[in-house]
Amino acid sequence: MKRFQWPVWSNAPKRWLTLLLTAALCLGLVPAVAVSSAALAPPITVTLSYQQDNTGFPIAPKQISLAPGLSEQYGYPDNFAGEKATALDAIVAAHILIYGENKAAVNAKLTVETSGPSAGMVTNFMGDGAGNFTFFVDGALANDGAMLTEIPDGSAVELFAIQDTTYWSDTYTWFEVNGKKVSALQVAPDESFDLTLRGIEFVIFGAWGADGPKAIEDAVIVTMLPEEGAAWIDDLADVTDGNGAVTLSFHQRGTYILSAIAEDPDWDSPLMSPYLVVTVSLPPANYQAPLTNVLNYLRTQVTSPLVSEVGGEWAVLAEVRGGRNDAAWNSAYLANLETYIRESAASVDTATGKVVLHNTRYTENARAVLALTSLGVNAASFKGYDLVSALLNTAKLQNQGVAAVAFALTALDSGSYLRTAAGEALRHWCIDYLLTNAKATGGWHLSPAVSVASPDITGMALQALAPYYKEAGAYRHAETVTAVEKAVAALQTMQAADGSFSYEDNGKTTESAAQVLVALTALDYDGTASGSFLKSVAEILLTYQAADGGFRHGTGGSADQMASEQAACALVAYDRYVTGKTALYDTGDISKTTVPPTDPGSGPAPTWLDKLPTWLSGIRSLKPWMQWMIHYIFFGWIWEVL
């Protein structure tokens, strides 16, 4: 083997090969950065929007990084040559958002006068072939032209296609609450809120706002539908009165976009439409600390989760869906489940891997499927075992009643299992069974023979039907909607004056409130006083918590393990609802594997970069010229050795 030698520069082939190898490695290790002239100012952040006619916003307000000098790159010089960001840069950016980065495509849609008395005038905007265009910066009309108007960092740049090209009377508008401009608002479900629409009439060849701001009466307030960066007018909400005022409310939790258009654009001054984002949500119950405490309690009580109704899958589901990820604890459950299948399962089909955990209680399989799916494990292929197919036995499910059918359907949909003809037939059978056995007054009971509903079983059935209630066009959708809404109304009548729920003659219980809360969150109902319930179901649930973090079964006594696990699942479901995550049993936010996540070989294979020694991968943190020097010496030495 040769000793280390410095590369010999006279050896041209080696020198160039070394340089090529060095360049290749550096391109892979050094992150790409934008290269710009030293004269260019750094990018700024602006909020950009573009409103067109009465159709909506081809560009809904969005934050973008705006590079000074962008207009020059596309052949539109401004007065600052990249030293400052201008309105012209923002106009070019808007065309790029719609037509892409191709220069020819942008140039075909945008024409700007660059010299003479009309310098800076946009004569072709968004391909309209005319200059029916204006823009506002931070709510004010810019009179200096696109080339001269400087855009400060953090500004809002609004682009408008002028609608009245005869009198140029478009009115620039905005929403106010209590006399202050608003672009975002948060309210509770069913909470009424007052808006006032005000504006200034825009006269391009005359005075800007000569009469000052005024109330805009008879304007049509509309909701808008967001779509891939745009927002289009969707539906009528209301009409402003003589003072420009309107009172609105929304029942369903979610985000709504409001705007306004002229009631009669052929007669009234067209509106440069405002844009208001209304978030409908509720201040959550003070549940975070109680949730943390009950999850900690479960971990102290369940050190190795079993295949069990208590101390098993419900604890796993609560911990994992609650954001806890203890690999050793999770693996203990997987190992215990594998052992249980081998030693205690009712039957195992060695040919297909189909497992029946219990001969009569098929909820055992459903519960295991839910736990496995929450862990990211494919319950149809766990260690070669299939815990899903047993649920195809509808006779066994029917023998257990509504709860078994509900949990079988929930388990199927938790991981989108059995998307086959047989699986879809099973789903339809479950829905048919639940709809058939709904009580006349709404809701469900464990036994079809009992005429009144119970909160626990009603909650379980609602959890199963929630996806079909929310999906238009789902199997028997109209009937499902009717059954679900009747059941929710029935739950409202079951709630006592203090907010609690009772299971038949057993009195007020944690489990009843927990099942109701999980159901409401799955349906996107808030379950609070302003959401048509007498009291917040989450808050009444918290009254059952004991000092050690566990939950009592009823109003007195010490913590009960089953009650604690059910309460933990419910608080996790509520937390996921409040924070906008998927529902408790909707594991669309995780992927399933056919082996336990902790098994060797799971996860993506390491790349060659992952295999580099720490000291070598640390080269990335050095300055670029130092990386080049080290890589050149390294490859030069490799070449000499070879």
Side-chain angles (χ1 to χ4, degrees), residues 471-488:
E471 181 187 348
Y475 176 71
R476 295 188 69 177
H477 181 253
E479 295 151 290
T480 300
V481 168
T482 299
V484 166
E485 292 179 351
K486 284 184 67 175
V488 172

Side-chain angles (χ1 to χ4, degrees), residues 21-32 608-609 620 627 631:
L21 289 170
T22 301
L25 183 57
C26 284
L27 287 173
L29 294 180
V30 181
W608 69 274
L609 287 174
R620 300 181 187 186
Q627 296 183 38
H631 297 153

Side-chain angles (χ1 to χ4, degrees), residues 181-232:
K181 289 184 180 181
V182 291
S183 59
L185 193 63
Q186 181 169 351
V187 297
D190 298 315
E191 176 187 355
S192 296
F193 60 97
D194 297 324
L195 293 175
T196 300
L197 184 67
R198 294 178 64 79
I200 298 179
E201 189 172 2
F202 165 68
V203 183
I204 195 168
F205 293 121
W208 153 242
D211 298 329
K214 62 179 181 180
I216 310 299
E217 61 177 313
D218 295 330
V220 179
I221 307 302
V222 294
T223 57
M224 305 191 75
L225 188 66
E227 179 183 306
E228 297 180 357
W232 307 107

Side-chain angles (χ1 to χ4, degrees), residues 122-426:
V122 177
T123 56
N124 179 25
F125 177 77
M126 296 293 175
D128 67 353
N132 304 333
F133 156 80
T134 192
F135 64 93
F136 289 69
V137 178
D138 291 331
L141 176 67
N143 291 316
D144 294 332
M147 295 169 60
L148 288 171
T149 302
E150 180 184 352
I151 305 297
D153 189 23
S155 296
V157 181
E158 301 169 276
L159 311 179
F160 295 96
I162 296 171
Q163 301 170 60
D164 178 9
T165 57
T166 302
Y167 300 103
W168 308 89
S169 66
D170 289 32
T171 298
Y172 176 79
T173 60
W174 60 87
F175 286 114
E176 291 184 359
V177 173
N178 297 325
K180 295 182 179 180
K181 289 184 180 181
V182 291
S183 59
L185 193 63
Q186 181 169 351
V187 297
D190 298 315
E191 176 187 355
S192 296
F193 60 97
D194 297 324
L195 293 175
T196 300
L197 184 67
R198 294 178 64 79
I200 298 179
E201 189 172 2
F202 165 68
V203 183
I204 195 168
F205 293 121
W208 153 242
D211 298 329
K214 62 179 181 180
I216 310 299
E217 61 177 313
D218 295 330
V220 179
I221 307 302
V222 294
T223 57
M224 305 191 75
L225 188 66
E227 179 183 306
E228 297 180 357
W232 307 107
I233 290 175
D234 181 41
D235 198 9
L236 166 69
D238 211 329
V239 177
T240 59
D241 63 17
N243 297 314
V246 65
T247 300
L248 302 171
S249 67
F250 295 99
H251 173 67
Q252 289 293 340
R253 175 177 174 268
T255 301
Y256 299 84
I257 302 171
L258 295 181
S259 190
I261 58 176
E263 185 175 36
D264 185 358
D266 294 331
W267 177 257
D268 300 321
S269 170
L271 302 185
M272 294 177 179
S273 298
Y275 192 94
L276 174 65
V277 177
V278 180
T279 302
V280 181
S281 63
L282 280 164
N286 185 22
Y287 69 92
Q288 290 91 344
L291 172 58
T292 298
N293 292 340
V294 71
L295 292 178
N296 290 340
Y297 174 85
L298 293 187
R299 288 301 310 277
T300 62
Q301 300 297 313
V302 183
T303 56
S304 182
L306 304 172
V307 179
S308 175
E309 190 175 11
V310 178
E313 287 81 9
W314 297 126
V316 171
L317 186 75
E319 293 285 331
V320 175
R321 297 299 278 166
R324 303 290 181 92
N325 189 21
D326 186 326
W329 193 78
N330 296 345
S331 295
Y333 169 70
L334 297 175
N336 289 338
L337 175 59
E338 184 180 11
T339 300
Y340 186 93
I341 292 172
R342 289 200 309 265
E343 299 178 1
S344 304
S347 66
V348 177
D349 188 326
T350 56
T352 64
K354 174 183 171 183
V355 174
V356 176
L357 293 177
H358 195 280
N359 272 329
T360 57
R361 296 198 304 269
Y362 272 51
T363 46
E364 301 286 303
N365 273 66
R367 197 175 63 240
V369 169
L370 291 172
L372 285 173
T373 308
S374 73
L375 287 167
V377 178
N378 187 343
S381 183
F382 166 65
K383 297 287 190 178
Y385 299 115
D386 175 7
L387 286 93
V388 180
S389 294
L391 300 176
L392 290 167
N393 192 331
T394 55
K396 293 287 188 179
L397 295 177
Q398 186 169 346
N399 286 341
Q400 272 193 270
V402 172
V405 175
F407 275 116
L409 184 56
T410 300
L412 282 179
D413 291 332
S414 69
S416 195
Y417 293 110
L418 292 180
R419 288 299 180 185
T420 61
E424 294 309 303
L426 174 59

